[in-house]
Amino acid sequence: MIIAEKKPIEEIIEEIKDFQRILILGCNECVTVCEAGGKKEVEILASALRMYFINKGNEKKIDEKTLERQCDHEYLEEIRENIDDYDAIVSLACGVGVQFAAEKYLTTPLVPGVNTVCLGANEDRGLWTERCQACGSCVLAKTGGICPVSRCAKRVLNGPCGGSTNGKCELGKDVDCAWQLIIDRLRALGKLDDYEKVAPIKDWSTDRAGGPRTVTREDVKI
Amino acid sequence: MRLKCPTDFRIIRLPCTGKVDIIHILRSFEKGADGVFVVGCMEGDCHFDQGNFRARKKVEQAAKILDQIGVGGERVRMYNLSAGEGPLFAEYAIEMDKLIRELGPSPLKIAKNKKANAA
């Protein structure tokens, strides 16, 4: 899922201080699971902001709403009726949701309430780690299910590099060497021979290098 | 056990302090509370294993937010005691009451009164 992190409340205050009627808009998907922008976080942020502005002697109307998703037309349409009641929206969705809402409601300023970090997994309570960089051409079948694009700092496709020591990356002791993980997994799978196969030069045109990406599916279009 | 206890606080009963969320604490302040204290079981004695540890974390997070918005994180506290320690509950209530009286009314109340008087 998409991993996001709450922005410091001071930063949000700075962005919205000139608006009087504000909607805090959450998203029920990824940001809810990573506890950054779901219904709970919307309630907490709205309550904190209301109290902050009352305290400053500048009471504002701050409402709360959480949509099923902010990256789909049908759910974003739910706020169209009330959109003119607000001078600004603080969206706690990932960057996708914020932009999609901004495209839909041209005259309402959108303020992001979270920093979108990566595509990752919930490794432990309170720990999310990157697993995918959406490079557009998956090599996991050849690398024992461990991604050298997202988990190797150098994105080395025939690794490890010389910076790998005792299974750790030269970036730091806490960073696993992705290629060590790949070799260990290939060994566990009994497919260590695959390691000998040299990976060809990767087609990076499906990555960000090819500009913004789109997926067009004629089979699902109506 | 007829213990003397301050009368100016409201007890909200929960099945476990693990149910406490940051929003419950913030809403209390929004609704006019001057302070909030959460009383959980002894650490390590939670029937649900980690409920009181969760509560402590939530209290810490709520305190941080209250500091950031100028209400004051010192107005929220977490206490631990066993269910049989009635006198200690009364003691904690007295301690909290004293602390809040020293701190005075919540800045929110002061700001609201100021606005009402100006109008």
Side-chain angles (χ1 to χ4, degrees), chain A residues 7-19 22 45 49 52-53 60 90 111-112:
Chain A
K7 270 189 186 290
I9 194 163
E10 295 86 351
E11 194 181 327
I12 298 173
I13 289 167
E14 187 57 32
E15 294 291 342
I16 62 165
K17 64 180 192 307
D18 298 328
F19 301 114
I22 298 148
L45 180 65
L49 290 174
Y52 173 84
F53 287 113
K60 293 183 193 294
V90 177
V111 175

Side-chain angles (χ1 to χ4, degrees), chain A residues 124-141:
Chain A
D124 200 355
R125 183 97 189 109
L127 175 67
W128 292 270
T129 49
E130 185 164 24
R131 286 290 185 280
C132 180
Q133 282 200 346
C135 71
S137 50
C138 195
V139 296
L140 286 171

Side-chain angles (χ1 to χ4, degrees), chain A residues 76-143:
Chain A
L76 269 176
E77 281 300 327
E78 286 174 22
I79 56 167
R80 185 171 294 281
E81 258 180 34
N82 314 96
I83 194 76
D84 293 331
D85 297 343
Y86 303 103
D87 303 325
I89 297 177
V90 177
S91 169
L92 298 195
C94 67
V96 180
V98 178
Q99 289 183 63
F100 213 47
E103 286 165 28
K104 217 174 216 338
Y105 302 112
L106 275 180
T107 53
T108 308
L110 255 291
V111 175
V114 301
N115 290 321
T116 310
V117 179
C118 64
L119 301 180
N122 189 190
E123 216 173 286
D124 200 355
R125 183 97 189 109
L127 175 67
W128 292 270
T129 49
E130 185 164 24
R131 286 290 185 280
C132 180
Q133 282 200 346
C135 71
S137 50
C138 195
V139 296
L140 286 171
K142 294 184 173 61
T143 57

Side-chain angles (χ1 to χ4, degrees), chain B residues 61-89:
Chain B
Q61 289 166 26
K64 195 177 157 204
I65 293 171
L66 291 170
D67 268 335
Q68 285 170 325
I69 60 174
V71 176
E74 64 278 12
R75 292 177 179 274
V76 52
R77 271 196 184 178
M78 170 97 195
Y79 290 104
N80 296 88
L81 47 73
S82 90
E85 290 178 307
L88 195 57
F89 179 85

Side-chain angles (χ1 to χ4, degrees), chain B:
Chain B
M1 216 185 296
R2 291 184 180 275
L3 299 165
K4 281 201 173 168
C5 204
T7 53
D8 48 5
F9 67 94
R10 180 180 297 177
I11 297 177
I12 298 169
R13 294 195 293 179
L14 297 167
C16 169
T17 48
K19 178 67 191 157
V20 174
D21 206 336
I22 302 168
I23 189 63
H24 300 137
I25 298 170
L26 295 187
R27 272 207 201 114
S28 309
F29 284 95
E30 255 196 283
K31 288 185 174 181
D34 296 313
V36 172
F37 69 118
V38 177
V39 189
C41 300
M42 297 300 285
E43 290 186 355
D45 278 351
C46 179
H47 183 67
F48 305 103
D49 197 30
Q50 295 174 339
N52 44 9
F53 289 110
R54 280 170 195 264
R56 185 168 289 279
K57 282 257 177 169
K58 302 287 182 199
V59 168
E60 282 167 10
Q61 289 166 26
K64 195 177 157 204
I65 293 171
L66 291 170
D67 268 335
Q68 285 170 325
I69 60 174
V71 176
E74 64 278 12
R75 292 177 179 274
V76 52
R77 271 196 184 178
M78 170 97 195
Y79 290 104
N80 296 88
L81 47 73
S82 90
E85 290 178 307
L88 195 57
F89 179 85
E91 223 173 87
Y92 286 155
I94 292 163
E95 187 183 307
M96 194 67 192
D97 182 72
K98 192 167 161 261
L99 171 83
I100 298 300
R101 281 182 194 284
E102 276 167 16
L103 289 170
S106 151
L108 282 177
K109 261 190 201 167
I110 296 170
K112 275 184 184 169
N113 285 343
K114 214 167 150 188
K115 200 182 166 193
N117 290 339

Side-chain angles (χ1 to χ4, degrees), chain A residues 154-167:
Chain A
K154 290 178 177 170
R155 294 175 151 199
V156 168
L157 291 171
N158 292 291
C161 72
S164 175
T165 314
N166 297 327

